[in-house]
């Protein structure tokens, strides 16, 4: 039976949170106090790039 391979593009998106007065403060905190953020979750997305037959 022939063999096939698939190529996937995997994207990992991490979601972090912190307490801040507004969006600008949160962005500034990320630059100067990244330790103030707590990891919330990560989302993994995959996208099929191509499928091809293995020639050996």
């Amino acid at each position: 039976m022939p063999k096939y391979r698939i190529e996937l593009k995997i994207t990992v998106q991490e979601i972090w949170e912190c307490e801040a007065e507004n969006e600008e403060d949160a962005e500034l905190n990320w630059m100067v106090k990244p330790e103030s953020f707590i990891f919330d979750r990560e989302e993994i997305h995959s996208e099929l790039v191509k499928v091809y037959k293995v020639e050996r």
Side-chain angles (χ1 to χ4, degrees):
M1 183 174 294
K3 293 184 180 183
Y4 291 86
R5 290 186 177 159
I6 62 169
E7 289 185 17
L8 298 174
K9 178 181 179 183
I10 307 294
T11 305
V12 178
Q13 179 179 5
E14 292 184 349
I15 313 296
W16 294 77
E17 69 178 42
C18 77
E19 292 183 358
E21 292 293 323
N22 54 42
E23 291 176 6
E24 290 82 18
D25 285 350
E27 186 175 351
L28 181 61
N29 281 348
W30 183 251
M31 291 185 274
V32 298
K33 291 193 321 187
E35 69 279 359
S36 69
F37 282 76
I38 298 172
F39 180 76
D40 184 29
R41 68 183 183 278
E42 76 179 14
E43 297 177 1
I44 300 174
H45 306 277
S46 64
E47 176 184 339
L48 181 63
V49 175
K50 74 178 177 179
V51 178
Y52 56 92
K53 185 175 181 179
V54 176
E55 302 288 341
R56 294 195 183 193

